Amino acid sequence: MRDEVRTFVIEQLEDMNYDVEGIDDETTLGPSGVDLESLALADLSVRVEDRYGLKFADDESEQLALMTVGEFTRMVADRVAGSTSGNR
């Protein structure tokens, strides 16, 4: 699941016109990494929410900007796995 989420995130960043060459799990989403601004981070969050049926809390946006791509994809994959197992 984590690889699927990571692939989706990278595809969305590319679709949002960010340079994805060289992005790895250690690249931060915010400054000194992908350099997503708050609107772009919100856009990425909405795309992930729509794709995986998740909801990020409003106060998480600042936390997301400090995450690496690896941390973000792991968090999303864990939430998806948690919501899937809760529905059984």
Side-chain angles (χ1 to χ4, degrees), residues 65-78:
L66 300 175
M67 289 184 160
T68 64
V69 171
E71 291 167 338
F72 181 69
T73 56
R74 188 171 34 257
M75 178 191 70
V76 171
D78 289 348

Side-chain angles (χ1 to χ4, degrees), residues 13-64:
L13 291 171
E14 189 170 29
D15 186 58
M16 294 162 61
N17 295 319
Y18 282 89
D19 181 10
V20 297
E21 190 171 323
I23 289 180
D24 61 23
D25 282 352
E26 300 304 313
T27 305
T28 59
L29 292 172
S32 76
V34 180
D35 201 21
L36 295 180
E37 296 174 0
S38 57
L39 280 176
L41 195 54
D43 185 11
L44 178 62
S45 297
V46 168
R47 291 172 185 228
V48 169
E49 288 174 342
D50 289 348
R51 171 68 177 87
Y52 294 102
L54 302 175
K55 188 72 179 144
F56 294 109
D58 292 338
D59 61 351
E60 284 185 293
S61 60
E62 210 170 288
Q63 178 187 354
L64 296 178

